[in-house]
Amino acid sequence: MSRMSQPDPELTHRLSRRGMLGVAAGATAAALLGAAAAPAGAATTAANDHTTANGTTTAPGSAGHGRPVLPPGRLGIQLYSLRDKVSTLGFAPVFAELEKYGYDEVEFAGYTQGSAGPITLDRLRRLARDHGLNPIGSHVGYYADDPDAYTFAQNLTKVLDDAQALGLKHIGTASGPFRYGSTVDAWKRAAEEFNTYGAAARARGMKFYQHNHSEEFSFATDNPKVRLYDVLLRETDPDLVFLEMDIFWAYSGQFRFSQRPDGTPAPFEPLDYVLRQPHRYPLFHVKDGVSDPSNTYGYRMTDVGDGDIDYRRFISAVTRLRGERLAHHWQAEHDQPTESFTFARRSSAHLHSLREKC
């Protein structure tokens, strides 16, 4: 199963490099990144056998003894991580496994199931609900050259019809706003289109969102003092366009783009974007990586809990904000898991084990 029903040229270009990505933590990231704690008492017995990337096993209880970091009912998974299982087994067996692992929500990456045969949207919605899973969102392409492509730009009404049929509260894209280039005006133009999609989604009772990769944090080619992500935030209507921060890729962006092209410092902290405007980030991708300075991107992607991103700190910082504990949804993801069910099980176990510091 692909991330989208029809290919998106810009996103396909990005996904083609995902297997070799990584992010070395820079000086700013050091304040947030730390060895991830291992699980203690999670949704399944997997909490007792969770090992780190280097093969060591962390002690139960090492994640802390306060209240759970993860808000109740807010753990989801991006089904792109399980595309191999969906395409061979079908949605029903996958949903059954996710129910066992303690997941509450699913985010779609397409609505087909390969060799498992055709499935209707009504059946898909009922399957999710039968397994206690709330369909929370979906990734769809931004644009394509094909006028019949299943994208926001080419078939907005159909995209929203399908999202509404599934009962989704969020409908978004994992494509960056690079349709017209990397200049300030190009991103303003893309932002206008995002506002249009957001208005159409709101009319249906949904929120339109954009999921970042690292390139969104780069600088405008016509004004290297301007970070493109800041243009997106400034030029989109905060009541119409929302963000799904992929935390792994945000720290990749920090590593890559904490200096302007001329070498002058331009530090930023991804968490600060969220803390300044928490209402704009209803969804997150919880993705982990082991620091690898030799890699262009600096992290080697791994199962959640086996890497160096301190999710106890990140999630707690957001959910401790007044009125924000239940306002966000946390989707586990791995672009290329070694074994996708194992990734789903162990990531859930780790996140359920995290406790706030007393």
Side-chain angles (χ1 to χ4, degrees), residues 53-67:
N54 63 12
T56 61
T57 302
T58 52
S62 62
H65 303 285
R67 73 172 178 173

PDB file of all heavy atoms in Angstrom, residues 53-67:
ATOM      1  N   ALA A  53      18.885  -0.064  20.880  1.00  0.00           N
ATOM      2  CA  ALA A  53      19.488  -0.375  19.594  1.00  0.00           C
ATOM      3  C   ALA A  53      20.823  -1.098  19.744  1.00  0.00           C
ATOM      4  O   ALA A  53      21.220  -1.869  18.878  1.00  0.00           O
ATOM      5  CB  ALA A  53      19.670   0.909  18.786  1.00  0.00           C
ATOM      6  N   ASN A  54      21.524  -0.861  20.828  1.00  0.00           N
ATOM      7  CA  ASN A  54      22.827  -1.507  20.996  1.00  0.00           C
ATOM      8  C   ASN A  54      22.732  -2.845  21.722  1.00  0.00           C
ATOM      9  O   ASN A  54      23.734  -3.446  22.078  1.00  0.00           O
ATOM     10  CB  ASN A  54      23.793  -0.572  21.734  1.00  0.00           C
ATOM     11  CG  ASN A  54      23.330  -0.251  23.145  1.00  0.00           C
ATOM     12  OD1 ASN A  54      22.413  -0.888  23.666  1.00  0.00           O
ATOM     13  ND2 ASN A  54      23.976   0.726  23.770  1.00  0.00           N
ATOM     14  N   GLY A  55      21.486  -3.318  21.961  1.00  0.00           N
ATOM     15  CA  GLY A  55      21.293  -4.645  22.514  1.00  0.00           C
ATOM     16  C   GLY A  55      21.132  -4.695  24.007  1.00  0.00           C
ATOM     17  O   GLY A  55      20.870  -5.755  24.571  1.00  0.00           O
ATOM     18  N   THR A  56      21.270  -3.577  24.717  1.00  0.00           N
ATOM     19  CA  THR A  56      21.119  -3.596  26.161  1.00  0.00           C
ATOM     20  C   THR A  56      19.654  -3.497  26.543  1.00  0.00           C
ATOM     21  O   THR A  56      18.839  -2.959  25.819  1.00  0.00           O
ATOM     22  CB  THR A  56      21.892  -2.434  26.789  1.00  0.00           C
ATOM     23  OG1 THR A  56      21.365  -1.208  26.296  1.00  0.00           O
ATOM     24  CG2 THR A  56      23.370  -2.529  26.461  1.00  0.00           C
ATOM     25  N   THR A  57      19.323  -4.024  27.704  1.00  0.00           N
ATOM     26  CA  THR A  57      17.956  -3.974  28.191  1.00  0.00           C
ATOM     27  C   THR A  57      17.889  -3.005  29.356  1.00  0.00           C
ATOM     28  O   THR A  57      18.690  -3.070  30.271  1.00  0.00           O
ATOM     29  CB  THR A  57      17.499  -5.371  28.669  1.00  0.00           C
ATOM     30  OG1 THR A  57      17.623  -6.280  27.575  1.00  0.00           O
ATOM     31  CG2 THR A  57      16.052  -5.335  29.133  1.00  0.00           C
ATOM     32  N   THR A  58      16.924  -2.094  29.300  1.00  0.00           N
ATOM     33  CA  THR A  58      16.807  -1.114  30.368  1.00  0.00           C
ATOM     34  C   THR A  58      15.905  -1.640  31.462  1.00  0.00           C
ATOM     35  O   THR A  58      15.031  -2.460  31.240  1.00  0.00           O
ATOM     36  CB  THR A  58      16.250   0.203  29.825  1.00  0.00           C
ATOM     37  OG1 THR A  58      15.064  -0.076  29.096  1.00  0.00           O
ATOM     38  CG2 THR A  58      17.248   0.866  28.909  1.00  0.00           C
ATOM     39  N   ALA A  59      16.110  -1.143  32.664  1.00  0.00           N
ATOM     40  CA  ALA A  59      15.409  -1.668  33.827  1.00  0.00           C
ATOM     41  C   ALA A  59      13.979  -1.167  33.884  1.00  0.00           C
ATOM     42  O   ALA A  59      13.698  -0.012  33.576  1.00  0.00           O
ATOM     43  CB  ALA A  59      16.141  -1.235  35.085  1.00  0.00           C
ATOM     44  N   PRO A  60      13.027  -2.042  34.306  1.00  0.00           N
ATOM     45  CA  PRO A  60      11.661  -1.586  34.493  1.00  0.00           C
ATOM     46  C   PRO A  60      11.625  -0.433  35.484  1.00  0.00           C
ATOM     47  O   PRO A  60      12.346  -0.412  36.469  1.00  0.00           O
ATOM     48  CB  PRO A  60      10.954  -2.830  35.046  1.00  0.00           C
ATOM     49  CG  PRO A  60      11.777  -3.980  34.565  1.00  0.00           C
ATOM     50  CD  PRO A  60      13.187  -3.481  34.562  1.00  0.00           C
ATOM     51  N   GLY A  61      10.776   0.548  35.182  1.00  0.00           N
ATOM     52  CA  GLY A  61      10.640   1.677  36.085  1.00  0.00           C
ATOM     53  C   GLY A  61      11.577   2.815  35.771  1.00  0.00           C
ATOM     54  O   GLY A  61      11.461   3.884  36.353  1.00  0.00           O
ATOM     55  N   SER A  62      12.525   2.606  34.828  1.00  0.00           N
ATOM     56  CA  SER A  62      13.487   3.661  34.544  1.00  0.00           C
ATOM     57  C   SER A  62      12.858   4.849  33.842  1.00  0.00           C
ATOM     58  O   SER A  62      13.459   5.901  33.738  1.00  0.00           O
ATOM     59  CB  SER A  62      14.634   3.114  33.683  1.00  0.00           C
ATOM     60  OG  SER A  62      14.138   2.651  32.445  1.00  0.00           O
ATOM     61  N   ALA A  63      11.619   4.681  33.350  1.00  0.00           N
ATOM     62  CA  ALA A  63      10.958   5.795  32.673  1.00  0.00           C
ATOM     63  C   ALA A  63      10.332   6.768  33.661  1.00  0.00           C
ATOM     64  O   ALA A  63       9.823   7.797  33.261  1.00  0.00           O
ATOM     65  CB  ALA A  63       9.888   5.256  31.727  1.00  0.00           C
ATOM     66  N   GLY A  64      10.328   6.471  34.946  1.00  0.00           N
ATOM     67  CA  GLY A  64       9.791   7.395  35.936  1.00  0.00           C
ATOM     68  C   GLY A  64       8.597   6.811  36.657  1.00  0.00           C
ATOM     69  O   GLY A  64       8.115   5.731  36.339  1.00  0.00           O
ATOM     70  N   HIS A  65       8.091   7.540  37.671  1.00  0.00           N
ATOM     71  CA  HIS A  65       7.029   7.003  38.523  1.00  0.00           C
ATOM     72  C   HIS A  65       5.851   7.957  38.668  1.00  0.00           C
ATOM     73  O   HIS A  65       4.995   7.758  39.508  1.00  0.00           O
ATOM     74  CB  HIS A  65       7.604   6.683  39.907  1.00  0.00           C
ATOM     75  CG  HIS A  65       8.764   5.716  39.861  1.00  0.00           C
ATOM     76  ND1 HIS A  65       8.607   4.370  39.640  1.00  0.00           N
ATOM     77  CD2 HIS A  65      10.110   5.935  39.965  1.00  0.00           C
ATOM     78  CE1 HIS A  65       9.797   3.784  39.629  1.00  0.00           C
ATOM     79  NE2 HIS A  65      10.723   4.709  39.824  1.00  0.00           N
ATOM     80  N   GLY A  66       5.801   9.031  37.884  1.00  0.00           N
ATOM     81  CA  GLY A  66       4.689   9.965  37.945  1.00  0.00           C
ATOM     82  C   GLY A  66       3.524   9.485  37.101  1.00  0.00           C
ATOM     83  O   GLY A  66       3.414   8.314  36.748  1.00  0.00           O
ATOM     84  N   ARG A  67       2.637  10.421  36.728  1.00  0.00           N
ATOM     85  CA  ARG A  67       1.504  10.033  35.896  1.00  0.00           C
ATOM     86  C   ARG A  67       2.001   9.703  34.493  1.00  0.00           C
ATOM     87  O   ARG A  67       3.061  10.165  34.060  1.00  0.00           O
ATOM     88  CB  ARG A  67       0.471  11.158  35.835  1.00  0.00           C
ATOM     89  CG  ARG A  67       0.861  12.356  34.991  1.00  0.00           C
ATOM     90  CD  ARG A  67      -0.299  13.320  34.824  1.00  0.00           C
ATOM     91  NE  ARG A  67       0.102  14.486  34.040  1.00  0.00           N
ATOM     92  CZ  ARG A  67      -0.723  15.428  33.628  1.00  0.00           C
ATOM     93  NH1 ARG A  67      -2.008  15.363  33.945  1.00  0.00           N
ATOM     94  NH2 ARG A  67      -0.282  16.455  32.915  1.00  0.00           N
TER      95      ARG A  67
END
